[in-house]
Amino acid sequence: MQMKSCRMRVAACLVLAAGAAQAADPYAALGAPGLVLGLAHPVNPQVSIRADVASSGEHSVNGDQEGIAYRGNVHFQRLGLFADWFVAGRFRLSGGATFNDGEMRLTAFGDGTPIKIGDTTYPTTSADRFDAKVKFPAVTPYLGIGWGRHSEQVKGLSLMADLGASIGQASVTSRAQGPLLGQVSDEDLHKETRELRDGAGRVRAVPQATIGMAYRF
């Protein structure tokens, strides 16, 4: 995980540094999926290209999924490479790809309370746990619309907004371990994973809905 995040940061720095060398214009935005920092570079009067990094940080999550009470955390960060086509004034269509590091890790800790996994209710001790991981794809296409000033237009500060999504379906894995939950049958574990996957299957995209500022030097 840490190495992947490190590679993403290095790649982002290289991309942004390359853009800076070509007199790209900086921008910053806030919304979903968090804080966005990037650079835009004009190609012609109607097209520009962009590279940005976005992060929502890491957050704790608690809840109930398929009758099991979980605690865990979720994080998402990505590097995005986009092309913008200004079709009418400041209105643009955007397409590209995002390189993602996003997942949710959930754990149900045993405390003597029985846990139903698959079709069977299993007793637990404080040494038992059930782990589940929901992971978003590493590379996904991006489609969206936006509004902003083309980089070749008047210099200075301007507003910008983007609405779109990185499109891809999350995957789910799970594991039971401990003196009692370590005895969970493969059939029950596979069924519980399928049920979790059915829930996570609704996660087919990471949305982007941001508003921010851009500057033309």
Side-chain angles (χ1 to χ4, degrees):
M1 174 78 65
Q2 291 180 345
M3 184 167 292
K4 182 182 290 185
S5 299
C6 182
R7 289 199 301 266
M8 181 173 288
R9 288 193 292 268
V10 170
C13 289
L14 290 174
V15 170
L16 297 182
Q22 299 182 33
D25 303 328
Y27 61 88
L30 190 63
L35 176 64
V36 180
L37 299 174
L39 293 168
H41 182 72
V43 176
N44 59 45
Q46 284 188 296
V47 177
S48 65
I49 56 176
R50 290 184 291 131
D52 65 31
V53 290
S55 176
S56 62
E58 185 164 324
H59 307 280
S60 298
V61 292
N62 297 286
D64 188 279
Q65 181 70 27
E66 300 300 330
I68 300 178
Y70 287 101
R71 288 183 291 169
N73 61 75
V74 58
H75 79 271
F76 183 81
Q77 59 185 12
R78 59 109 168 121
L79 163 67
L81 303 176
F82 312 106
D84 297 324
W85 178 31
F86 288 80
V87 294
R90 298 190 176 192
F91 178 76
R92 64 177 183 239
L93 301 178
S94 300
T98 60
F99 304 85
N100 316 295
D101 177 14
E103 66 180 27
M104 178 169 59
R105 290 180 176 268
L106 302 171
T107 299
F109 293 97
D111 59 359
T113 302
I115 294 178
K116 184 178 180 182
I117 299 176
D119 293 322
T120 307
T121 299
Y122 292 89
T124 67
T125 70
S126 58
D128 290 293
R129 58 187 290 170
F130 183 80
D131 298 299
K133 181 172 73 172
V134 180
K135 186 169 181 60
F136 198 68
V139 182
T140 52
Y142 175 90
L143 294 174
I145 58 175
W147 185 88
R149 185 174 62 196
H150 190 282
S151 294
E152 287 191 340
Q153 296 175 356
V154 182
K155 296 180 180 181
L157 199 63
S158 64
L159 288 171
M160 61 176 293
D162 280 282
L163 179 64
S166 298
I167 303 167
Q169 187 167 0
S171 63
V172 179
T173 56
S174 63
R175 181 177 64 169
Q177 55 185 324
L180 297 181
L181 290 187
Q183 307 303 312
V184 171
S185 70
D186 290 342
E187 182 179 354
D188 281 335
L189 184 60
H190 291 159
K191 180 173 182 179
E192 190 68 31
T193 303
R194 286 196 303 271
E195 291 174 349
L196 288 168
R197 187 178 295 119
D198 289 342
R202 294 193 296 267
V203 182
R204 298 179 181 272
V206 172
Q208 175 158 338
T210 56
I211 186 167
M213 305 290 290
Y215 192 83
R216 173 63 173 164
F217 289 99

